[in-house]
Amino acid sequence: MDKIELLNPYNDRQLESFNDFCLYNDLPNLAKSLQEKTKSQTEQNYFRSLQLSYVTDSYLLEIKDEKVTDYCYIHSEKDTKKAIITYPELLNRHHHKQFLKESITYVLNDLSMDELFLTLPITDHYTNKI
């Protein structure tokens, strides 16, 4: 069963799976850069700063059998209630349709955004079908 999770840069299992996914899809090593950005603060302080910040950047993961199968980057602004979801270009040339729906639902409902912009690679099969 697929599930979605917000990436926790302090969760080694998630980071390893995310790194494997990025390597498989010839994407930059985002897990390593996240670890470097967050190593100067505790996990508690990191999540507290996310709650207090007006602008947040995060990664939403699709996970199946404990492995990352898709992800997106979310830039959200609490004060304007606007968000941008960016999906990377994947080797299989498409994102999972269910993940697209779930990530949109997450941003609109869980993050309480009023406006949402999607950025899909031109090579994505679903670009013309949404």
Side-chain angles (χ1 to χ4, degrees), residues 25-27 71 87-93 95 121-124:
N25 283 281
D26 199 25
L27 297 168
Y71 87 91
Y87 301 90
E89 187 169 344
L90 302 178
L91 291 177
N92 66 6
R93 301 177 60 101
H95 290 272
I122 195 71
T123 57
D124 202 298

Side-chain angles (χ1 to χ4, degrees), residues 20-34:
D20 291 346
F21 176 82
C22 289
L23 286 172
Y24 176 78
N25 283 281
D26 199 25
L27 297 168
N29 188 346
L30 297 170
K32 184 177 180 179
S33 63
L34 281 170

Side-chain angles (χ1 to χ4, degrees), residues 64-104:
K64 181 176 185 174
D65 299 326
E66 301 300 318
K67 295 190 185 290
V68 173
T69 56
D70 206 347
Y71 87 91
C72 64
Y73 166 77
I74 301 169
H75 174 85
S76 60
E77 301 175 2
K78 292 178 186 174
D79 56 343
T80 60
K81 294 192 170 257
K82 294 180 182 178
I84 301 169
I85 302 177
T86 304
Y87 301 90
E89 187 169 344
L90 302 178
L91 291 177
N92 66 6
R93 301 177 60 101
H94 73 278
H95 290 272
H96 303 112
K97 198 172 197 177
Q98 187 61 34
F99 179 63
L100 292 173
K101 291 178 184 178
E102 289 177 0
S103 59
I104 291 168

Side-chain angles (χ1 to χ4, degrees), residues 104-119:
I104 291 168
T105 300
Y106 172 81
V107 170
L108 293 176
N109 295 340
D110 294 12
L111 297 181
S112 303
M113 296 291 125
D114 290 336
E115 289 186 47
L116 173 61
F117 302 93
L118 300 178
T119 305

